[in-house]
Amino acid sequence: KPVRIGNAAYHQKQNDIYGILMDVIYVQMQKFSVDVDNGEDIWAITKGIVWIVSNNWKDPDKGIWEFRTEDRHFTFSKVLCWTALDRAIKVAEMLGKKHKIE
């Protein structure tokens, strides 16, 4: 019999995912053209991710290890929160939103 059944990850806070997501958005923008309409959609997503990261990066989380114990501070999560903000700045520059960076 398995030790555990089910996946508790959908209940867990994992701050690292935002850095991964923003990196994917940034790389895709480098490779593919962005028109005005989907540029605004991308900008809306980017602003939402920045808001979440800005409000949660100091908080402990489960990290990629998905421990079922209390949340902890993981360096990996902190670095990927930084990555999310770094890529958001680059996306802002690509979209001509430099005035929004501050």
Side-chain angles (χ1 to χ4, degrees):
K1 289 189 161 197
V3 175
R4 290 195 176 127
I5 297 173
N7 184 341
Y10 73 98
H11 289 295
Q12 297 174 347
K13 179 180 180 182
Q14 294 175 298
N15 293 332
D16 55 348
I17 191 62
Y18 302 108
I20 295 165
L21 179 57
M22 280 308 308
D23 194 51
V24 167
I25 290 170
Y26 172 65
V27 169
Q28 291 301 305
M29 287 184 65
Q30 287 179 309
K31 293 184 180 217
F32 302 101
S33 64
V34 177
D35 62 31
V36 173
D37 289 335
N38 76 9
E40 288 304 313
D41 292 341
I42 290 169
W43 182 239
I45 292 166
T46 299
K47 289 189 304 185
I49 291 170
V50 167
W51 186 89
I52 292 168
V53 170
S54 297
N55 287 294
N56 291 285
W57 76 271
K58 292 181 182 179
D59 299 337
D61 67 338
K62 297 295 186 200
I64 61 171
W65 296 272
E66 300 179 7
F67 293 123
R68 293 187 182 205
T69 59
E70 75 272 352
D71 291 355
R72 295 163 54 184
H73 291 280
F74 294 103
T75 303
F76 186 77
S77 294
K78 305 300 183 194
V79 168
L80 282 175
C81 284
W82 175 88
T83 301
L85 297 177
D86 179 72
R87 298 313 184 270
I89 290 168
K90 291 177 179 182
V91 166
E93 290 169 345
M94 292 172 83
L95 294 173
K97 306 282 187 184
K98 286 183 118 176
H99 62 285
K100 300 286 186 175
I101 293 174
E102 292 129 22

